[in-house]
Amino acid sequence: MNMERKPVKGLLDRLRDGEQVLVAEGYLYEFERRGYLSAAAYVPEVLFDHPEVVKQVSDDFAHAGTDVIPAFTYYAHKEKLRHIGKDLEMEQINRRALRIAREVADQAGCLMAGDLCNTNIYVMPETPEVVAEITEMYQEQVRWAVEEKADYIILETSPYLGEALLGLEAIKKCGKGLPAVVTLAAYTDNTTLDGVPYAEALRRLEEEGAAVVGLNCARGPGSMIAMLKEIRKVCKGPIAAVPVCYRTTAEQPTMQRLKTDDGKNAFPLNLGSFGCNRADIAEFADECKQLHLQYAGLCCGNSPNLFRTFVEAFGREPLASKYRPDVSKSALMGADAQRAGLAQKIVF
C-alpha cells in the first residue's frame, strides 16, 4: 500500500531537543492474551495466521499515545521459526511485520522501528560458528528493516553483552546509518550473563555507537529503577527504561522469579495476579521524569489502557484520553449512586 508519509521528527532530533520518547512494547504478551499466540513457546505465529491482529494491536497502541510503532519481528528469526517449520519463510514474515508497522506509523504520525532480539543460541565462551550464525541472523533482519524504511533499530532483551555487541555491529554495518537503541535484560542482580556489571556493559555499548542504551523486559518498575539510577551515573547519553508490567521486588526481582502463594513459579502462565495497576504505572512514569530518562516505555504485560495511563502521566493527551476513567458516572460509585445510597451499601 503506497501512501505519502507525513513528516515525522526523527529519534535523534527528539533526543537532542531534550524530548522524551515513549514506546509501547509488549506485543508478544498482548497477542497471547488475545488468544493468537502460544504462551511459553512465544513463536510469532500471529504474523502467519492473523496479520490483521498485528495491525489492530499496533493501531491500539498508536491510539493510546505511543511515539513509536516497533515492527513485531521479536523472535522472527531462525531459531524460533524453526519450531513451526517456518524458518524458510523468515524474510517474508519479517517484511510483513515491517510493512504493517510502517503503515500504522505513517497513518498515526509515529516513528517506526525495526526490532532485533536475543537469539537464544549465544554461548560463552564464544565460538566462531555461533558468532557467524548470530551475525548472519542479525544482519539479514537489519537489511530488511532498512529496505522497509525503518526510522531506527531496536536491539532488545539480550542478557549478554557479547550478543548485544554482535547485534550492534550488524546495525552499524548494514543499517545505513540508522540509530540503534540497545537494551539488555537484567536477569541477575549485578552482571550480565557473561559477567559484566550492567552499568559497565551499557557504557561499552554507548561507546560502540548506540544512540540509546538501557534495560528492558525481565524486571518490573519496582526492581528496575534502582539499577537505572546507577546506570545514569555511568552513561553519558540517553537512557532507556522499558520494564515489564509486573510487581517485581528486591526479593523476586524478575518476572521469571515471581512465586505464587503456594511457592510455584508464576512465570510463564500465572503472572496475571502480579500485574501492575494504573497507579503503579503512573508512579513509574514519575520516576522516569525524575531520572530524566528520555526513552521510556512498557514491555511484557503492557496493554493500551496501561500505556494511556503512562502517557498521560507525562502530561500528554492521546486520542484514547477521550475514554479515560470517569468514576463520577459509575452506577455504583458516582453521584447518582451516592444519592441513592448504593455506594455505601455495595462498595463500602
Side-chain angles (χ1 to χ4, degrees):
M1 181 178 182
N2 293 320
M3 63 177 68
E4 184 177 349
R5 291 176 60 184
K6 301 175 184 177
V8 175
K9 191 173 185 178
L11 175 68
L12 296 182
D13 289 336
R14 297 181 192 212
L15 296 174
R16 288 191 191 109
D17 290 346
E19 298 177 23
Q20 285 161 316
V21 179
L22 307 182
V23 187
E25 295 198 24
Y27 283 64
L28 194 76
Y29 276 39
E30 181 66 3
F31 291 132
E32 193 278 327
R33 188 184 68 81
R34 296 187 185 203
Y36 291 98
L37 190 146
S38 176
Y42 296 131
V43 181
E45 296 168 279
V46 64
L47 281 165
F48 294 96
D49 300 337
H50 293 283
E52 75 282 359
V53 176
V54 179
K55 183 178 185 304
Q56 182 62 61
V57 172
S58 302
D59 283 332
D60 290 347
F61 281 130
H63 183 68
T66 186
D67 289 323
V68 183
I69 305 295
F72 184 55
T73 51
Y74 187 90
Y75 275 169
H77 55 52
K78 291 176 184 176
E79 194 282 328
K80 272 295 181 180
L81 293 180
R82 67 179 175 81
H83 288 292
I84 57 171
K86 297 288 189 179
D87 48 310
L88 296 181
E89 299 176 48
M90 187 169 56
E91 179 176 356
Q92 171 193 341
I93 213 62
N94 273 265
R95 290 190 185 275
R96 179 178 296 169
L98 287 158
R99 288 169 184 170
I100 291 170
R102 183 74 270 169
E103 178 184 352
V104 174
D106 288 346
Q107 290 173 342
C110 297
L111 295 167
M112 188 275 268
D115 187 89
L116 312 179
C117 69
N118 50 305
T119 64
N120 300 328
I121 62 171
Y122 186 82
V123 294
M124 287 296 296
E126 291 182 353
T127 66
E129 295 78 14
V130 168
V131 168
E133 185 174 358
I134 291 174
T135 297
E136 180 186 4
M137 289 167 65
Y138 281 147
Q139 287 186 356
E140 59 192 1
Q141 284 192 293
V142 172
R143 284 193 292 266
W144 297 329
V146 170
E147 291 168 5
E148 299 298 339
K149 297 180 171 47
D151 296 304
Y152 70 95
I153 307 289
I154 295 169
L155 171 60
E156 60 167 307
T157 324
S158 179
Y160 297 96
L161 171 61
E163 183 179 51
L165 286 169
L166 291 175
L168 180 56
E169 184 60 32
I171 296 170
K172 289 160 61 178
K173 182 175 181 179
C174 303
K176 300 292 181 67
L178 290 184
V181 173
V182 185
T183 51
L184 301 175
Y187 292 111
T188 64
D189 291 335
N190 301 309
T191 69
T192 63
L193 294 190
D194 42 355
V196 183
Y198 289 110
E200 180 182 330
L202 293 171
R203 178 64 181 145
R204 174 79 183 280
L205 289 163
E206 190 177 60
E207 290 171 344
E208 292 295 325
V212 181
V213 298
L215 302 177
N216 86 291
C217 205
R219 292 175 178 256
S223 58
M224 183 180 282
I225 284 294
M227 298 181 72
L228 291 165
K229 290 178 180 177
E230 296 304 310
I231 291 165
R232 175 76 283 172
K233 296 175 185 177
V234 174
C235 293
K236 298 179 180 179
I239 303 297
V242 190
V244 298
C245 299
Y246 300 107
R247 290 174 169 171
T248 56
T249 65
E251 294 73 30
Q252 297 177 13
T254 70
M255 65 178 177
Q256 289 81 7
R257 292 162 68 178
L258 290 171
K259 304 289 185 183
T260 56
D261 290 341
D262 57 6
K264 294 180 180 179
N265 288 335
F267 179 86
L269 303 182
N270 295 307
L271 287 168
S273 61
F274 293 93
C276 292
N277 61 29
R278 298 169 207 253
D280 297 327
I281 297 303
E283 181 180 352
F284 169 61
D286 288 340
E287 291 171 324
C288 288
K289 289 185 285 186
Q290 291 170 20
L291 286 174
H292 305 292
L293 303 179
Q294 283 188 263
Y295 190 100
L298 303 175
C299 196
C300 302
N302 187 20
S303 60
N305 65 329
L306 285 181
F307 196 76
R308 175 188 62 199
T309 296
F310 184 67
V311 169
E312 289 176 340
F314 283 87
R316 301 187 188 182
E317 292 280 320
L319 293 173
S321 292
K322 176 181 178 181
Y323 307 104
R324 66 162 60 94
D326 186 351
V327 177
S328 71
K329 296 184 175 67
S330 167
L332 298 180
M333 298 180 68
D336 291 344
Q338 296 287 347
R339 284 192 293 272
L342 286 175
Q344 291 79 4
K345 294 175 182 176
I346 297 175
V347 180
F348 301 104

